[in-house]
Amino acid sequence: PAPRSQKHLQRRQDWHALIFQTHPQKETHMTTRRQISKLLALASLCAPLALMAQAFPSKPITLVVPVPPGGLVDTSARLISEPLGRLIGQSVVIDNKGGASGNLAYQQVARAPKDGHTLLVSYSGYHIANPILMSKLPWELKDLTPVGLITVATNVVAVHPSVPANNMRDFIAFLKQNPGKLNYASQGNGSVSHIGTEIFKQQTAVDLVHVPYKGSGQAIADVLAGQVQVFMTTPPSVMQHIQAGKLKALAVTGKKRHPGMPQVPTMAEAGYPNIDLEAWVALYAPAGTPTATINQLADAVKRSLDLPESKQRADQAGIEVRFLAPADMTKLLDREIADWTQAIKTANIKLD
């Protein structure tokens, strides 16, 4: 081998001196008992740190749901809770924390420990609209980081039978001939049904009068009675009335037809491809949660949704399981915030 420089040899001796705690001129290849004891002590100190890094999950996982039991968001949480717990080896607890337009739940998770044991079941209507419409929030978008999309639900444009139209083209033509003469219901200011119908109005250049309600119950009752004539909502809310002929379904706003109403076309099929509105439910963790924990959760969520029983339960509830990884979930949120901001600004919608 080529001779090595004196500088290289000195450096090698210095390294050995540092490692073996001996003089460079007394290099040895054998460690003493004292040195072995030090190494074992150091290993014993490092072991708990390594175990701590691999401890997730070390206790039950809590899914904080920003609405009372029932409906799209709560159903989505319960859809994944049991298989998720089975896959990660810990029980999963549902904590329904409704109120304040979802902000109580969002605040709880935003301030929770960043360890992956407290997660938010986020709803698009709250996650997108609240930061746009409310100037003072107890949480910010940057306080939360995505784990993944869980479910989506299309919306259906349902009208009272008195409306003289049986398809979307005729309906829009009627609205243009009768501006401001029909009313539309929503589940409240800033809700998906509210913003979604405003997007519909802007895309089709029609005029409908907004009548806000506190939830779906009274809104559906008034649409059935003909006091308001139009309601854009998720199919489970009105599907039985459509099937009974008490309401007419003109189109769904998702990317494909709803399995419970296969005869109802999508907005794209009806000639309006730019109207694509889906309510979504996703899982979020406190910002700063370790990436390894986020990835572990995301993988477990994906596998939970891939199970045949999960898809069957979703079909029965009239919703669709659809997973998106954290990075793709971020892109979806950014895109929809831009769309909703424009719609809200154009319609001059304000909550405070």
Side-chain angles (χ1 to χ4, degrees), residues 253-265:
T253 62
K255 294 177 175 60
K256 58 184 181 180
R257 296 193 180 198
H258 191 275
M261 301 180 295
Q263 77 283 3
V264 181

Side-chain angles (χ1 to χ4, degrees), residues 234-249:
T234 53
S237 303
V238 292
M239 195 156 52
Q240 60 177 328
H241 304 303
I242 292 169
Q243 292 169 342
K246 296 179 180 179
L247 294 175
K248 293 190 290 188

